[in-house]
C-alpha cells in the first residue's frame, strides 16, 4: 500500500529521471543499460520511501498507543484523607515529656 502512495511514486519518477540525466546516459538514454539503471534507481527510491513512510506511521501509532499520564491528586486533597485514618492499635504512642 505504501509503495503505491503518491509520495513513493513521485520519488520513483524523480530517481528514474535523475538516473537518465546522468552524463554517461545522456548520449543513449534509450539504451538497455540506461533503462535498466533508471528502473533500478526508481525501485530503490520507492523502497526507501516505503521504509520512511512505514517508520513515520509506526511512530504515529506508538504515540497514539501511549497512555496519558495519570496525575495524582494534589497533596491538599490527599492529606486530610490520610490524617483521618486511625492508627493501628499496635503502633507505639508518642510520649510528650
Amino acid at each position: 500500500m505504501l509503495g503505491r502512495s503518491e509520495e513513493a511514486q513521485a520519488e520513483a519518477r524523480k530517481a528514474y529521471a535523475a538516473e537518465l540525466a546522468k552524463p554517461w546516459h545522456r548520449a543513449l538514454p534509450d539504451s538497455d543499460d540506461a533503462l535498466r539503471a533508471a528502473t533500478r534507481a526508481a525501485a530503490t527510491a520507492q523502497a526507501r520511501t516505503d521504509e520512511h513512510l512505514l517508520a513515520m506511521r509506526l511512530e504515529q501509532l506508538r504515540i497514539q498507543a501511549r497512555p496519558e499520564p495519570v496525575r495524582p491528586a494534589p497533596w491538599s486533597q490527599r492529606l486530610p484523607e490520610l490524617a483521618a485514618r486511625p492508627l493501628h492499635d499496635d503502633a507505639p504512642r508518642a510520649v510528650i515529656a
Side-chain angles (χ1 to χ4, degrees):
M1 192 165 93
L2 293 173
R4 293 181 303 226
S5 69
E6 185 57 38
E7 294 94 344
Q9 295 296 322
E11 287 299 318
R13 285 190 297 272
K14 287 180 204 174
Y16 189 91
E19 185 66 31
L20 289 179
K22 289 184 177 177
W24 50 88
H25 293 309
R26 279 192 206 146
L28 296 169
D30 293 332
S31 70
D32 288 340
D33 289 338
L35 294 176
R36 200 174 14 251
T39 303
R40 196 172 328 122
T44 301
Q46 186 173 1
R48 287 183 181 163
T49 304
D50 294 347
E51 291 169 0
H52 174 71
L53 292 173
L54 179 60
M56 286 178 39
R57 182 63 181 142
L58 288 174
E59 183 59 28
Q60 289 172 346
L61 291 173
R62 273 199 264 321
I63 290 170
Q64 287 177 358
R66 287 185 195 141
E68 283 293 319
V70 177
R71 294 187 124 173
W75 282 109
S76 61
Q77 292 177 0
R78 285 191 277 170
L79 289 177
E81 189 178 294
L82 294 173
R85 292 169 43 187
L87 292 176
H88 244 26
D89 289 336
D90 299 338
R93 308 236 183 246
V95 178
I96 301 174

